[in-house]
Amino acid sequence: MTANFLSALSGNRPAVTPVWFMRQAGRSLPEYRKVRAGTSMLEACLIPELAAEITAQPVRRYGVDAAIFFSDITVPMKLAGVPVEIVPGVGPVMEQPYRCAKDVKELIAHKPGDGSAVTQGVQLAVAELSVPVLAFAGAPFTMAAYLVEGRPSRDHLAARTMMYAEPELWYALVDWCAEISIAFLQAQKVGGACAFQLFDSWAGALAPAIYRKYCAPAAQKILTADLGLPRIHFGLGTAALLPDFAQHAEAVGIDYRTDIAAAIAQLRKSFPDKKVVVQGNIDPAILGCRSEVVESHVAQILTAGLAADAHIVNLGHGVPKDTDPAVLADIVAQVHEFSAVSPISPVPSKEVHRG
Ligand code: 1CP
C-alpha cells in the first residue's frame, strides 16, 4: 500500500487505487478531540509530538494511503510573528485586517520564521507511519483573503478590491504569502514529507481571467520553487481553471462542484502528451447519507476515474465536522476493494479521449 499514493502521483496507476481525505484529521475523530482538549489549534500545530499524533490518527483508524501533516495554512503567518488565532467555530482571525499600504508594508517586512517545530512534527509522523506524509500550504490568494479581510469572509470583497485599487500593493502581498508558504513547505520537506498539496481553496471566487492576472503568478512561484516534490493543486469551484492548475502540478484536485469525467476529458484535451492524474471528488454531503447512497456515489467516481492515467480518491472538499468516522472507513474499504475487482488497465488510448 505504501507506494500506491506516490505511484499514482507519478502517473502510473497502481494495482490498488489510493485514497485519503482532506481534513481527515480533526473534529470528526473522538481521539482528536481528546488529545486537543485544552490546547488551542495553532499551539497544537507547533507541538511536534501532538501534531505527529494527530497526523497519524486517521491513518490508524481508516487505513488511508497518505497522511496529511496536521497544521494550518495560517501557521507560516504565526511563525513569521504575525498575530493570528484560530477561533473555534469561526476559523482564522487576524489581530487586525491588512488593507492600507502602511499596514501591508509592515506585514510584509516580517521574515519567514523558524520552522523547526514543523520539521520535527513531520519527522515524528514519518517515523511512525508506513504511508507517505503529504505536506501542504495555502495558495497566496487564499492566505491573502484572510489577511485583508481579517477573518473568514463569504466573497473576499476587500481582498478583491485591493487587487483592482492597488495592484502593486496586492502583488507585494501575495508575493510575501508565497515566500512564507515556500518556507513552510521547505520545513515539511526537511522533515520527510514526500509530496505537497497547494490549497488554492478560494480561487473559484474569482473570474478565471482575474485569477490568472492577480493570483496565478504568486501561486506559480510556490509550485515552481526548488522543492523537488510532486505537487497537487486543489481549489474549490475551479472547473474553468483546471488546465491552468495542471500546468505546474503532477495532479489536480477536483472539487465536488466539478464533474470528474468532464475534468479528465478537459485535461486530456489540453495536455494530449501529459499524464492525467486527478484527485477527488466525493461530495462531502454524501457522507451523511445511508450506506447504499454512499456506495453508489463512490462507485461512480471510481468508474469515472478509470479514464485518467491515475486517480487518487479524495473528497471534493474537507471532511465535515460531524461525519461518522465509520462512513470514511467504509469508503476506504470500498476503494481498495474496487481496485481489486475492476480491470486495471482500462486507461483508454489517448486517441479515444482527444475527440
Ligand atoms: O478547532 C479546530 O479543531 C480547528 C479546525 C481546524 C482544523 C482541524 C482548522 C481551522 N484548521 C484545521 C487543520 C487543517 N487546515 C488542515 C489539517 C490537515 C487535514 O486535512 O487533516 C489543513 C490541510 C488545513 C488547511 C486550511 N486551513 C485551508 C485549506 C483547506 C480547505 O478547507 O479549503 C483553509 C481555507 C484553512 C483556514 C481554516 N483554518 C481553520 C478553519 C475552520 C479554516 C476555514 C475557515 C473558513 O471557512 O474561511
Side-chain angles (χ1 to χ4, degrees):
M1 295 276 177
T2 310
N4 290 344
F5 172 74
L6 291 173
S7 160
L9 258 187
S10 71
N12 297 309
R13 182 175 285 275
V16 175
T17 298
V19 51
W20 69 280
F21 304 110
M22 292 186 272
R23 296 277 181 98
Q24 61 191 12
R27 279 180 298 177
S28 58
L29 288 181
E31 57 269 39
Y32 168 81
R33 296 196 293 268
K34 192 167 164 214
V35 296
R36 258 285 318 279
T39 312
S40 78
M41 171 67 194
L42 288 178
E43 256 181 304
C45 294
L46 295 172
I47 301 172
E49 295 73 16
L50 190 51
E53 163 61 22
I54 296 173
T55 302
Q57 285 176 346
V59 181
R60 292 186 205 123
R61 190 184 264 262
Y62 302 130
V64 280
D65 299 278
I68 181 161
F69 181 57
F70 179 75
S71 196
D72 191 72
I73 61 167
T74 53
V75 164
M77 301 177 194
K78 171 121 182 141
L79 291 175
V82 175
V84 52
E85 281 309 326
I86 289 183
V87 175
V90 178
V93 176
M94 314 305 303
E95 194 177 78
Q96 61 160 111
Y98 297 90
R99 294 193 186 167
C100 65
K102 178 176 161 288
D103 290 348
V104 171
K105 280 180 185 149
E106 273 170 29
L107 172 73
I108 67 177
H110 288 83
K111 299 272 166 275
D114 173 11
S116 55
V118 169
T119 298
Q120 282 166 28
V122 177
Q123 266 165 349
L124 292 171
V126 168
E128 165 165 354
L129 294 170
S130 58
V131 296
V133 174
L134 181 67
F136 76 92
F141 173 59
T142 297
M143 292 170 73
Y146 291 106
L147 290 162
V148 179
E149 303 288 343
R151 54 189 300 112
S153 66
R154 218 177 153 68
D155 49 11
H156 323 298
L157 192 68
R160 292 191 291 117
T161 297
M162 189 190 284
M163 289 176 197
Y164 299 112
E166 301 211 55
E168 293 313 316
L169 197 61
W170 172 260
Y171 285 123
L173 175 62
V174 284
D175 191 70
W176 179 81
C177 290
E179 293 261 313
I180 62 168
S181 273
I182 291 168
F184 182 46
L185 289 169
Q186 185 66 35
Q188 295 172 80
K189 181 194 168 167
V190 172
C194 46
F196 75 86
Q197 174 154 322
L198 188 65
F199 281 96
D200 219 338
S201 302
W202 310 144
L206 301 174
I210 299 301
Y211 175 83
R212 288 183 190 115
K213 179 164 180 193
Y214 293 105
C215 306
Q220 276 166 32
K221 182 169 173 163
I222 301 176
L223 292 163
T224 58
D226 191 18
L227 289 158
L229 296 176
R231 305 153 295 181
I232 305 168
H233 195 170
F234 169 80
L236 200 58
T238 46
L241 287 170
L242 295 178
D244 299 68
F245 279 19
Q247 226 168 357
H248 300 286
E250 282 63 35
V252 181
I254 312 295
D255 72 282
Y256 69 89
R257 299 176 196 170
T258 302
D259 182 275
I260 192 167
I264 295 167
Q266 169 69 56
L267 291 168
R268 283 239 181 267
K269 206 168 149 201
S270 303
F271 301 99
D273 301 320
K274 205 173 151 174
K275 298 258 192 182
V276 170
V277 182
V278 290
Q279 177 176 282
N281 75 339
I282 298 168
D283 188 337
I286 217 84
L287 304 176
C289 298
R290 59 180 196 282
S291 58
E292 307 89 86
V293 179
V294 180
E295 268 172 42
S296 119
H297 179 82
V298 172
Q300 260 177 31
I301 286 167
L302 282 162
T303 306
L306 292 171
D309 291 291
H311 179 200
I312 298 164
V313 173
N314 204 315
L315 302 182
H317 200 194
V319 176
K321 75 169 176 358
D322 37 15
T323 300
D324 176 358
V327 175
L328 294 177
D330 286 349
I331 291 176
V332 173
Q334 186 187 346
V335 172
H336 289 165
E337 170 85 6
F338 171 89
S339 315
V341 296
S342 60
I344 295 299
S345 52
V347 176
S349 69
K350 285 183 178 157
E351 285 68 32
V352 174
H353 274 264
R354 267 185 195 145

